[in-house]
Amino acid sequence: MTVAFRPRPSVVRRDSGLYAYERALARRGLTPIAGVDEAGRGACAGPLVVAAVILRKPVEGLGDSKLLTPAVRERLHDQILATAHVGVVVIPPETIDARGLHKCNVAGMRRAVARLSCDPGYILTDGFPVPGLPAPSLAVWKGDQVAACMAAASIVAKVTRDRLMAALDVTYPQYGFAEHKGYVTPQHRLALETHGPCPHHRYSFVTVARGMGKNEMGAGVA
């Protein structure tokens, strides 16, 4: 089993710039470096999307996807796909309900790395350690704010998921998926109270379970 490995004696300051982790690892020959992140962990509807990215060249304007405008995220997403090695995994709600969110997240990170067209020499994961990865790895708290490859993975995961939720909104406009992307908002709660959950909700989540009595098979297609 691959264990987490922190190169020494490097100390990477969180204010050293978005490429500091990559530079420190590269100095020790631990390349190429993959960043892994997800989107949709806190949502009660829609899939969990996990992305792994190995940057082949710097991408100007990278940052935490949550802090960027939708237009900037879209532009960076397309640029990353055109210039980097990318692996993406989409995990549907029914799998999350059956296996549990954290297990799906961990498995998704492994699968996303496996889909990269280039074998990583080192892997940075967002938030928590992921056992069973094919290279040494390090969990970085809020890594999408401090490591370029993780920021890129965050952008790819979020834009991929946002596009999927916008497509669902066409079929289920009564929920407002294009607006809140499946996260719990007053608008989403009211829609669940009114229509009950649809097949793309996560039935194991408390907010969704409370609306089950309205329509257990999901709201009708508008």
Side-chain angles (χ1 to χ4, degrees):
M1 178 182 296
T2 303
V3 297
F5 169 71
R6 183 189 298 271
R8 297 189 179 189
S10 291
V11 176
V12 179
R13 292 171 53 90
R14 293 185 71 88
D15 59 356
S16 299
L18 204 57
Y19 289 87
Y21 274 93
E22 281 93 335
R23 287 195 299 268
L25 291 165
R27 284 196 295 268
R28 279 147 185 80
L30 296 169
T31 58
I33 303 153
V36 190
D37 202 0
E38 51 73 30
R41 184 164 50 191
C44 70
L48 177 72
V49 177
V50 186
V53 174
I54 294 175
L55 293 172
R56 290 187 287 174
K57 55 189 271 187
V59 176
E60 185 176 353
L62 279 181
D64 180 359
S65 65
K66 297 181 289 297
L67 304 179
L68 302 173
T69 67
V72 170
R73 284 198 298 264
E74 288 280 345
R75 175 178 59 80
L76 290 171
H77 168 273
D78 294 346
Q79 186 176 349
I80 292 163
L81 261 60
T83 62
H85 300 285
V86 178
V88 178
V89 171
V90 178
I91 303 171
E94 58 268 26
T95 303
I96 295 170
D97 288 338
R99 299 191 59 192
L101 180 63
H102 185 67
K103 285 185 178 179
C104 286
N105 204 351
V106 171
M109 288 187 170
R110 294 194 198 104
R111 290 169 56 198
V113 170
R115 291 187 179 183
L116 289 168
S117 58
C118 176
D119 293 333
Y122 200 85
I123 303 167
L124 299 174
T125 62
D126 186 48
F128 53 87
V130 178
L133 290 172
S137 64
L138 176 68
V140 182
W141 177 246
K142 294 186 177 179
D144 49 4
Q145 298 179 18
V146 297
C149 57
M150 299 180 73
S154 172
I155 290 167
V156 170
K158 180 162 180 56
V159 171
T160 300
R161 188 176 188 279
D162 284 357
R163 290 177 179 179
L164 292 171
M165 297 308 294
L168 281 180
D169 187 72
V170 175
T171 306
Y172 300 97
Q174 61 268 49
Y175 295 103
F177 288 145
E179 179 76 19
H180 53 67
K181 306 301 189 295
Y183 288 89
V184 179
T185 65
Q187 174 196 7
H188 197 179
R189 287 182 187 275
L190 179 60
L192 280 167
E193 291 171 5
T194 304
H195 304 288
C198 78
H200 297 277
H201 279 93
R202 302 176 187 177
Y203 285 69
S204 58
F205 281 48
V206 172
T207 303
V208 177
R210 287 173 179 161
M212 287 285 285
K214 299 292 182 181
N215 183 351
E216 292 189 6
M217 297 305 293
V221 176

